[in-house]
Amino acid sequence: MSTQGYDDELRSERSYVAGLYARLDAERARVRGEYKAALRGNGETPMERDVRVRALATEARRLDVVDNGLCFGRLDTVSGEHSYIGRIGLFDEENEYEPVLLDWRAPAARGFYVATAATPENMRRRRQFHTRGRQVVDFTDEVLGRPGGDDRGDAALLAAVNAPRGDGMRDIVATIQAEQDEIIRLDHPGVLVVEGGPGTGKTVVALHRVAYLLYTHRERMERHGVLVVGPNPAFLNHIGRVLPSLGESDVVFMTTGDLVPGLRVTAEDPPEAARLKGSLKMLDVLAAAVADRQRLPEYPLPIELADVTVRIDAETAEWAREEARASGLPHNEARAVFGEIVTWVLTERAIGRIGRGWLTREDREAWEELRADLLEELAEDDMFAAALDELWPILTPEALLASLYSSPDRLRAAGADQSLSRARGDAWTVSDIPLLDELVDLLGRDKSADRAAERALERERKTEAEYAAGVMDLLVDRKDSMDDEDHLFATDLLFGEDLADRFGERDTRELVERAAADRDWTYRHVVVDEAQELSEMDWRVLMRRCPGRSFTVVGDLAQRRSAAGATSWDTMLEPYVPGRWVYRSLSVNYRTPAEIMSVAAALLAEFTPAVQPPESVRACGVRPWSRRVTEDELPAAVEEFVRDEATREGTSVVIGPPGMPGGMATVPPSETKGLEFDSVLVVEPARILAGGPRGAAELYVALTRATQRLGVLHHGPLPRPLTGLADIGTPTRQEQPLTRGLPRG
């Protein structure tokens, strides 16, 4: 294209994109107007109004987040037609709703991501826009279907992967690659496992898959939302902008430590304790711990009633316990069965003693009258209530598990390993969360507490209803006392339905708030990131949260840190979704440059030789370096790195083993999982490597966080796989090409 021709095309594209923004602004104004009208209501019920208000609020949020990069490309077919591709779809209402902008998730937009020179998908050209704000700065064209064409050259991709990192992960909606697009659009109703090495984009692919599923199955999925589970809060904060930038907000972000609402994780288990707690063998331990609290009295427990003393003996308690267990009810609910059996035995014995010599079973009326008196007396007897609490106590998951950990005797009785013992039973760890969640189902609810809460709620409703009635009476009296010329009355504005609704039980929280606070909430789809870290018990929790078993699971077995984590996907998933899970892999590294990946690959080859490292799409021209320093020099060397990086654009981090001397601000590798930085300094890699049974995986994570620059500081000798680093003290830039063979489409 000539310079003049390019300039003319650029002006034309700028005009078209400006027209798209005008339509976007008009659509925003329309939705906001409808939202304000919906708030006022137009005669529908409060519930109908609430649904409409929420729907319009969601639509307004979607329109508000697509301003940046609204339209990022154009696709031309061989027949001369062309389509513009963007973050959302826009339509021409005056021309039979013809699309003027295709949503990137629409089937017609797929060619933008998968067409190559060799396989053009009936497309002639792909045009990609470079925008700043609402302005198209320039564009690049790729002609498709040329003889001998092979690779997809993607300037937009290279610009994205070379750009300095910001505070959070960016969406890749404009640069999705063919292998990523296949996974994003995969039509599989069960569990999809996506495995990929560092930098392959598995996390961002999973998030774009969520956006795609919400687009294609919105009505089914939106009511229950989507759960995204990540390894730590820093990771969730890092990825938190991606889905909102794609117009999706009904997504709950959690770590596995957040899955029991209201519980706070304050401690960390040693590897052996984490391994034991993550095993399904803990199901037997928990069941035994519950059974251990269903006790028989060592000696008969006396219950002193007004006319007689009765006793709960071991034989009676054993019969009641057998009946309660046979009911199949959770522990707290089965207490009612236990209490009924004990009560029946005690009243029979009491009637027999009180009525000896004058009362016969034929005198049913007197018999039942005496039974009713005894039942009432037992219900109010403190000694009887204390006896039931001793033999079949109402338990909470927290109280049961805390008492189990803090008592060697109870651990022994439950068949648990003594390594689970700890001084403070309620110092909760991430590994305790699935056990507490399991106990919610094993124990069940305290029905008596529920009934008391219902009675209190009913009293509150009655009080509020009486207040509402009084308000209406006052308003009516006020209306009657006013002149007929006064046409606007409070009662004309305050409809009875609205007043009743004011005192109702309507939950006005957003879906995300309601779901996060409700342990029993179920989701339509769950994304699990860093899934190799999840234990067998963790998977039980997540399967409860998604009865439909619709999951996108992403991870890398080579990066597994947890002793209870996955050694194979089959072992973890087949028990829950036999034959309903599929596996896909990502092989191209978009984040880590070749210079850095070669260092990490040497480590990978030593500790997991069967795993093939991903191939980097680019070189950065900066050789990774190492510097050996004395222990006294180490803090100053770290400070020097931090100072130097503060003058550069982008992000940086210092990664080191726990317990670094001198209060150095280093981050352990486990807290950087899934994150990326322009520059990384790894401190004392030998100590990271020796830090536990999965030390090599930890070091592998640390070495693969950088997108541009990697440095290593060490006091002792370097681990053998890292001896190839340039021991030059400071990094040196070498002139190298910025690309190393882009991935094939």
Side-chain angles (χ1 to χ4, degrees):
M1 187 184 299
S2 67
T3 302
Q4 182 61 46
Y6 177 87
D7 290 342
D8 291 343
E9 281 282 294
L10 182 59
R11 277 192 294 273
S12 174
E13 299 293 29
R14 284 174 173 170
S15 175
Y16 190 89
V17 171
L20 293 177
Y21 276 108
R23 288 181 184 274
L24 175 65
D25 291 338
E27 186 68 5
R28 281 175 174 164
R30 180 189 67 78
V31 171
R32 286 171 182 160
E34 291 185 10
Y35 176 77
K36 290 178 181 177
L39 285 174
R40 293 191 294 270
N42 60 357
E44 71 266 56
T45 67
M47 182 174 291
E48 290 170 337
R49 183 177 62 199
D50 218 27
V51 169
R52 180 159 173 74
V53 165
R54 288 190 182 192
L56 288 167
T58 299
E59 182 63 18
R61 283 195 299 270
R62 285 198 187 110
L63 294 173
D64 284 341
V65 298
V66 298
D67 212 278
N68 186 31
L70 171 65
C71 176
F72 48 79
R74 189 179 104 180
L75 194 60
D76 297 356
T77 68
V78 293
S79 61
E81 298 175 350
H82 56 255
S83 303
Y84 288 84
I85 316 296
R87 294 178 175 274
I88 61 169
L90 292 175
F91 303 90
D92 184 355
E93 298 87 346
E94 297 177 359
N95 190 19
E96 299 182 349
Y97 281 85
E98 277 290 312
V100 293
L101 181 66
L102 277 179
D103 191 299
W104 66 274
R105 296 164 286 193
R110 189 164 189 263
F112 187 79
Y113 300 109
V114 300
T116 67
T119 55
E121 302 282 330
N122 203 36
M123 301 298 164
R124 184 176 64 86
R125 177 173 57 187
R126 173 175 36 238
R127 173 169 290 177
Q128 292 179 300
F129 298 140
H130 172 212
T131 60
R132 186 177 297 118
R134 292 190 165 198
Q135 181 78 8
V136 176
V137 177
D138 55 39
F139 65 81
T140 57
D141 281 348
E142 182 182 0
V143 178
L144 306 170
R146 291 174 299 183
D150 194 20
D151 291 342
R152 172 179 172 179
D154 199 332
L157 171 64
L158 285 174
V161 296
N162 279 305
R165 265 49 189 173
D167 292 334
M169 179 178 283
R170 297 169 293 202
D171 67 66
I172 59 168
V173 63
T175 59
I176 293 170
Q177 301 300 292
E179 69 167 1
Q180 298 172 329
D181 186 80
E182 179 189 353
I183 292 170
I184 290 169
R185 297 176 193 264
L186 186 65
D187 184 16
H188 178 69
V191 176
L192 167 63
V193 176
V194 183
E195 185 163 23
T200 53
K202 50 190 179 293
T203 296
V204 74
V205 165
L207 295 175
H208 283 68
R209 177 167 165 77
V210 168
Y212 175 76
L213 291 174
L214 284 167
Y215 174 80
T216 53
H217 306 289
R218 188 167 302 283
E219 188 174 341
R220 181 175 66 84
M221 293 183 65
E222 205 168 34
R223 260 179 228 170
H224 287 253
V226 173
L227 172 64
V228 175
V229 178
N232 54 58
F235 173 83
L236 295 181
N237 185 58
H238 177 65
I239 68 173
R241 298 179 184 176
V242 174
L243 282 166
S245 75
L246 299 173
E248 304 298 347
S249 57
D250 290 331
V251 180
V252 177
F253 292 88
M254 288 186 179
T255 68
T256 52
D258 302 323
L259 289 169
V260 174
L263 205 74
R264 189 163 167 242
V265 171
T266 60
E268 184 174 351
D269 279 315
E272 179 60 14
R275 185 187 67 80
L276 291 169
K277 290 179 182 181
S279 168
L280 290 180
K281 294 177 182 177
M282 285 301 298
L283 296 175
D284 294 332
V285 171
L286 296 178
V290 173
D292 183 52
R293 305 300 294 272
Q294 300 162 355
R295 313 298 295 270
L296 302 179
E298 296 179 9
Y299 51 84
L301 302 177
I303 309 297
E304 297 180 4
L305 302 178
D307 299 317
V308 67
T309 296
V310 290
R311 287 174 173 77
I312 305 175
D313 54 34
E315 183 181 7
T316 299
E318 186 173 18
W319 177 32
R321 185 172 70 176
E322 289 175 357
E323 291 294 325
R325 288 177 176 175
S327 71
L329 294 170
H331 170 86
N332 289 335
E333 296 173 30
R335 173 178 158 125
V337 178
F338 181 85
E340 286 172 6
I341 299 294
V342 172
T343 299
W344 185 85
V345 171
L346 295 186
T347 55
E348 284 291 304
R349 290 175 180 173
I351 291 171
R353 293 177 188 175
I354 294 171
R356 185 178 294 131
W358 64 271
L359 183 63
T360 66
R361 287 192 178 274
E362 284 71 24
D363 190 357
R364 300 305 304 171
E365 186 175 344
W367 190 284
E368 294 303 328
E369 187 176 332
L370 182 55
R371 181 189 296 281
D373 291 341
L374 288 169
L375 287 173
E376 185 176 345
E377 194 172 351
L378 280 173
E380 297 176 357
D381 188 271
D382 291 339
M383 292 181 65
F384 181 61
L388 288 182
D389 287 340
E390 180 180 341
L391 301 177
W392 198 287
I394 293 293
L395 298 170
T396 65
E398 294 85 351
L400 176 67
L401 200 58
S403 65
L404 178 67
Y405 290 151
S406 58
S407 169
D409 290 341
R410 283 186 171 149
L411 283 171
R412 229 175 344 262
D417 193 284
Q418 288 296 321
S419 64
L420 299 183
S421 177
R422 64 191 187 205
R424 184 178 168 187
D426 61 353
W428 303 119
T429 69
V430 169
S431 302
D432 292 326
I433 299 301
L435 309 185
L436 292 165
D437 193 72
E438 191 75 32
L439 284 169
V440 171
D441 287 347
L442 282 176
L443 297 177
R445 294 185 175 277
D446 176 5
K447 294 293 187 181
S448 61
D450 285 351
R451 286 193 292 271
E454 286 174 9
R455 288 193 294 269
L457 183 59
E458 188 57 39
R459 288 194 297 271
E460 185 179 347
R461 284 174 178 164
K462 185 177 180 182
T463 301
E464 290 173 341
E466 290 172 353
Y467 173 76
V471 170
M472 291 298 292
D473 288 343
L474 286 172
L475 291 172
V476 170
D477 291 343
R478 171 64 176 158
K479 179 177 178 179
D480 290 343
S481 66
M482 295 176 72
D483 295 333
D484 290 340
E485 292 156 1
D486 295 316
H487 298 297
L488 187 61
F489 304 106
T491 48
D492 293 330
L493 296 175
L494 189 62
F495 298 102
E497 201 170 39
D498 290 340
L499 190 63
D501 181 56
R502 181 174 298 177
F503 298 107
E505 289 298 304
R506 285 175 56 228
D507 192 340
T508 58
R509 293 174 299 172
E510 294 294 329
L511 179 144
V512 169
E513 296 175 281
R514 287 180 285 132
D518 186 355
R519 181 261 174 187
D520 296 321
W521 189 277
T522 57
Y523 298 88
R524 283 290 183 263
H525 190 77
V526 175
V527 173
V528 187
D529 207 317
E530 300 293 342
Q532 73 277 356
E533 305 298 342
L534 269 61
S535 69
E536 293 174 315
M537 291 297 294
D538 288 325
W539 280 109
R540 282 180 65 85
V541 180
L542 294 179
M543 292 296 169
R544 286 192 197 100
R545 301 300 191 271
C546 187
R549 303 292 195 261
S550 177
F551 283 76
T552 300
V553 176
V554 295
D556 179 10
L557 295 178
Q559 296 186 57
R560 176 176 64 88
R561 172 180 182 258
S562 170
T567 55
S568 78
W569 302 116
D570 183 81
T571 301
M572 287 298 185
L573 298 174
E574 194 63 23
Y576 301 106
V577 283
R580 282 194 61 218
W581 68 279
V582 297
Y583 177 88
R584 296 290 185 272
S585 63
L586 292 168
S587 59
V588 179
N589 190 331
Y590 300 98
R591 177 180 69 213
T592 317
E595 297 91 339
I596 295 174
M597 198 61 218
S598 66
V599 176
L603 176 67
L604 183 67
E606 184 156 308
F607 82 91
T608 314
V611 176
Q612 186 70 21
E615 181 184 357
S616 297
V617 301
R618 67 190 175 104
C620 65
V622 180
R623 189 177 178 188
W625 55 270
S626 69
R627 186 199 308 177
R628 190 167 187 173
V629 294
T630 66
E631 193 169 350
D632 291 338
E633 292 171 336
L634 191 57
V638 171
E639 288 179 13
E640 180 186 347
F641 169 83
V642 173
R643 269 197 316 271
D644 288 347
E645 288 302 322
T647 65
R648 298 175 183 260
E649 188 179 3
T651 60
S652 63
V653 68
V654 180
I655 303 176
M660 288 296 296
M664 279 185 286
T666 62
V667 179
S670 60
E671 293 184 18
T672 66
K673 297 196 83 166
L675 306 183
E676 56 184 34
F677 305 88
D678 290 274
S679 186
V680 171
L681 179 67
V682 178
V683 180
E684 296 288 26
R687 283 183 55 188
I688 297 174
L689 194 61
R694 299 296 299 170
E698 293 274 80
L699 183 54
Y700 183 59
V701 169
L703 294 173
T704 54
R705 299 305 95 195
T707 65
Q708 302 291 345
R709 301 175 295 280
L710 172 67
V712 173
L713 288 177
H714 59 107
H715 169 55
L718 275 177
R720 187 161 58 87
L722 305 189
T723 53
L725 285 169
D727 187 9
I728 54 176
T730 56
T732 60
R733 177 170 294 277
Q734 300 174 352
E735 293 302 323
Q736 296 183 20
L738 288 179
T739 63
R740 224 186 106 170
L742 290 173
R744 298 179 184 274

